[in-house]
Amino acid sequence: FFNLYKKFFNTYFYTIGIVFNIFRLKKIFKKNNLDVLMVLNGGYPGGEVCISAIFSWFLLKKNNKAWYNIHNYPVDISNFSMLRKLYENMMDYLISKSINGIITVSKSCKKEFNKRPMIDESRIHHIHNGFDNNFYLRNPLSKKINYFDKDSKIIFFPSVIEERKGYSNIIKVMDIIVKNKRNIHLIICGEGVTKEEKKLKY
């Protein structure tokens, strides 16, 4: 019963819900006289509001399309049902036509878009995330956790723990960072796949 309930609402949000949000967001964009839109999302295709925002903006600004910034891998549709594949391919085509381009955070993320063949490859770009030696936000965690002194720099990584989040990569990067910045710490916080949690702990 729960699975049927979930399927029903997922279908609603990604069909009728998107149409409803398109017209709602169009009014908001028009009222606030906005100039540029960049939609940021974890994975692709992302939530229905993000998709709706892209279509709303396209209806208003066909000569100044939105950018879609993706920070994770796109969903692989190869194991989906034929009907779901048709829907996903149609959405990919429409999204591709409605944006200036997709900006991913790595070559690896960019490469994974070959699993979504209806997206124009020329519209997919990558810009790596960076690390600024001179910029830190003061974090109240340093006051709450006795392990850190007041000058500690803290990187906080809250997320679902699964392989695609790249935990092994951030640990490798921290090995490099701490050679130059000794008083910097990484806190990983979250739960997820048991196998990945064990790998992370040991």
Side-chain angles (χ1 to χ4, degrees):
F1 175 77
F2 176 74
N3 285 336
L4 286 172
Y5 181 80
K6 193 167 72 170
K7 276 186 178 179
F8 172 79
F9 278 100
N10 277 342
T11 303
Y12 169 80
F13 284 126
Y14 278 88
T15 52
I16 298 168
I18 284 178
V19 174
F20 172 77
N21 279 323
I22 285 171
F23 291 102
R24 188 167 174 232
L25 287 168
K26 188 181 173 187
K27 285 181 182 176
I28 293 170
F29 293 154
K30 195 171 183 179
K31 181 182 176 183
N32 289 279
N33 195 28
L34 304 177
D35 298 317
V36 181
L37 179 70
M38 176 179 278
V39 178
L40 277 70
N41 217 327
Y44 178 90
E48 69 276 5
V49 176
C50 292
I51 295 168
S52 303
I54 284 168
F55 294 145
S56 308
W57 190 261
F58 177 73
L59 292 174
L60 281 173
K61 309 265 187 176
K62 288 179 183 171
N63 296 322
N64 182 21
K65 298 175 187 175
W67 286 91
Y68 209 1
N69 186 208
I70 304 295
H71 286 247
N72 208 326
Y73 291 156
V75 174
D76 184 358
I77 63 172
S78 59
N79 294 321
F80 287 176
S81 67
M82 187 58 69
L83 185 62
R84 179 76 186 274
K85 279 181 185 174
L86 285 170
Y87 175 78
E88 294 282 340
N89 283 328
M90 179 193 73
M91 291 299 286
D92 286 354
Y93 176 79
L94 292 174
I95 289 170
S96 185
K97 293 293 182 185
S98 303
I99 56 175
N100 262 322
I102 292 172
I103 302 170
T104 65
V105 294
S106 69
K107 290 180 182 177
S108 175
C109 285
K110 180 181 175 181
K111 187 180 176 183
E112 286 294 307
F113 271 90
N114 61 17
K115 294 175 180 173
R116 312 286 299 217
M118 295 305 292
I119 296 175
D120 183 354
E121 192 179 350
S122 68
R123 293 183 183 273
I124 306 169
H125 315 275
H126 75 276
I127 300 174
H128 293 293
N129 287 327
F131 168 70
D132 186 344
N133 280 327
N134 302 310
F135 178 75
Y136 298 95
L137 291 174
R138 294 211 172 273
N139 197 311
L141 281 173
S142 58
K143 295 176 183 176
K144 293 183 179 180
I145 302 175
N146 294 329
Y147 177 80
F148 306 115
D149 62 48
K150 64 177 182 178
D151 296 319
S152 291
K153 308 296 188 295
I154 299 167
I155 297 172
F156 188 45
F157 194 156
S159 178
V160 177
I161 296 174
E162 48 190 32
E163 187 178 12
R164 70 195 182 102
K165 296 294 184 181
Y167 289 97
S168 57
N169 291 331
I170 196 170
I171 290 168
K172 287 175 188 173
V173 169
M174 281 301 295
D175 284 339
I176 297 167
I177 290 172
V178 295
K179 287 175 184 175
N180 301 307
K181 294 276 182 182
R182 301 298 300 176
N183 199 19
I184 187 165
H185 308 275
L186 171 67
I187 296 176
I188 293 175
C189 178
E191 58 182 21
V193 180
T194 306
K195 179 184 169 186
E196 293 302 317
E197 287 182 2
K198 285 181 179 176
K199 205 187 289 183
L200 193 60
K201 287 174 184 175
Y202 301 107

